[in-house]
């Protein structure tokens, strides 16, 4: 059972990396970060796996937004730990693709990068 759960988590994170960024850019314009509401709505509307949304937030929101979203729900999640886990599992330990948003097709160009107000 543990193997299946790990597989589902990895598959969800992979979909966040490979297509969620493109969906966010299509819906809200290209940006390095998006609001937690934008991420949440896109995951819901586009049918992504909701269970691992913390990883989507770690990829696409600011640390401030990430922390507020979890605090509002009484949850404790560590932004940097999730980003390190993603970089280890998907980018050979290199955090720079996540920091720069370069894993998202053309995401960093032509935008202020703030994805809305914090």
């Amino acid at each position: 059972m543990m193997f299946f759960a790990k597989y589902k988590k990895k598959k969800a994170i992979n979909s966040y990396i490979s297509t969620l960024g493109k969906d966010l850019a299509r819906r809200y314009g290209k940006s390095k970060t998006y609001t937690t509401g934008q991420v949440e709505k896109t995951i819901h509307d586009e049918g992504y796996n909701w269970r691992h949304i913390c990883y989507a937030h770690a990829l696409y929101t600011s640390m401030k937004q990430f922390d507020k979203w979890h605090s509002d729900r009484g949850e404790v999640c560590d932004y940097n730990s999730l980003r390190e886990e993603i970089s280890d599992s998907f980018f050979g330990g290199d955090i720079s693709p996540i920091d720069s948003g370069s894993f998202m097709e053309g995401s960093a160009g032509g935008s202020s990068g703030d994805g809305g107000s914090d």
Side-chain angles (χ1 to χ4, degrees), residues 21-116:
K22 294 172 192 165
D23 286 339
L24 286 162
R26 178 178 46 80
R27 294 171 75 122
Y28 303 108
K30 294 178 181 179
S31 183
K32 279 176 63 176
T33 62
Y34 295 91
T35 67
T36 53
Q38 290 170 330
V39 171
E40 196 170 335
K41 181 161 178 44
T42 302
I43 284 176
H44 174 72
D45 291 353
E46 300 290 333
Y48 287 90
N49 182 328
W50 180 266
R51 172 166 269 169
H52 305 288
I53 195 169
C54 293
Y55 291 90
H57 284 150
L59 284 164
Y60 297 107
T61 70
S62 68
M63 182 186 292
K64 181 179 176 182
Q65 289 239 340
F66 178 94
D67 288 343
K68 181 177 180 346
W69 191 86
H70 286 88
S71 175
D72 288 351
R73 285 154 184 77
E75 299 174 352
V76 178
C77 267
D78 186 283
Y79 182 81
N80 289 319
S81 292
L82 292 180
R83 291 168 65 92
E84 287 175 21
E85 182 182 340
I86 293 166
S87 76
D88 288 345
S89 296
F90 294 91
F91 300 107
D94 183 3
I95 194 79
S96 66
I98 299 171
D99 286 342
S100 68
S102 64
F103 66 93
M104 294 169 40
E105 192 175 87
S107 65
S111 173
S112 65
D114 67 358

